[in-house]
Amino acid sequence: MSETFGKVAVLLGGKSGEREVSLKSGSAVLAALQAQGIDAEAFDPATRPLHDLAQYDAAFISLHGRFGEDGTMQGALELFGIPYTGSGVMASAIGMDKWRTKLIWHAAGVTTPAFEVVSADSDFAAIEQKLGLPLFVKPANEGSSIGISKVKTAGGLKAAYELAAKSDPLVIAEQFVGGGEYTVGILGDQVLPIVRIVPANEFYDFEAKYLRDDTQYLCPCGLPSAQEARIQAEALQAFKAIGGTGWGRVDFLMDEAGKHYFLEVNTSPGMTDHSLVPMAAKAAGIPFGDLVKRILSLAIAQHGAKTRVG
């Protein structure tokens, strides 16, 4: 197997606010690759110069957030001629930006919750009136629910905006959809079983994702099979609408009437013991080791073998 993939860099850590999560994801991926005889090494771009990547034949991206999931690292790997996992430069950049993802989805006819861009000069009361309460406020270019808050009372939007703006100058307010939170994993052209997320606290925040043991993950998700199949097909279309390739995850919400709204795309999903894609893959009969190997194989199929540059 090591002859097939050559020397693989598992990119982990990085400089974003999701560094600790990335270290956990990357460590799990690294152990799984090495257990299968693949010549894989950890590579933390926060502590090593990028030109060291030139010695590797492929890269498994386990970076989350800025400088790893947003197209910057993908661009560097393109310049080095190194095949890498996940989406390309454009799709990675768009997927990281929740606002621009929504703009593309609107153009493509993908249903997503109503939203407004918020700035320091916004009429906060008018936005609260338009979207209704409660509503969510989030940085457009952060993951792992960093900087997100739920506004439940009139007059609360300004403080929520100020919190989100600490993480990103581009902030969006989003309509509340309260019938349940779900996610769809994508592996090439295979759509994995839907997972329903039931947090014990008010919403699926950073604590619920990574620190608590009482968050429930339901797979099977409980939706009728025909409805699940329809949403899976639409999730793949939503993923491809932003140019997504390789593997990823599309999150959606359900309202009380059973209508679904796609929320965002994750082009470098988590691979920790709390992560959703490994959970869905397991339900589909794909063990973790096989999952990481398939993701790496998709990278080679998409990009071809390493090309020498310079």
Side-chain angles (χ1 to χ4, degrees), residues 176-180 253-256:
F176 174 73
V177 179
L253 302 171
M254 193 80 73
D255 69 13
E256 289 81 355

Side-chain angles (χ1 to χ4, degrees), residues 197-270:
I197 304 151
V198 185
N201 45 350
E202 192 160 9
F203 66 96
Y204 193 45
D205 58 8
F206 186 92
E207 182 182 349
K209 287 179 178 179
Y210 303 114
L211 304 178
R212 299 180 66 120
D213 292 324
D214 53 359
T215 302
Q216 296 181 58
Y217 302 98
L218 308 179
C219 190
C221 65
L223 296 176
S225 57
Q227 184 180 21
E228 179 170 9
R230 184 171 66 253
I231 294 173
Q232 286 174 307
E234 291 182 18
L236 183 59
Q237 293 172 356
F239 184 64
K240 290 185 174 181
I242 69 154
T245 54
W247 75 300
R249 206 187 72 223
V250 181
D251 300 335
F252 70 94
L253 302 171
M254 193 80 73
D255 69 13
E256 289 81 355
K259 181 179 179 180
H260 60 279
Y261 297 79
F262 289 104
L263 192 61
E264 61 185 72
V265 172
N266 191 320
T267 56
S268 183

Side-chain angles (χ1 to χ4, degrees), residues 163-179:
L163 173 64
K166 292 178 181 178
S167 298
D168 185 39
L170 180 59
V171 175
I172 59 173
E174 190 173 66
Q175 173 191 17
F176 174 73
V177 179

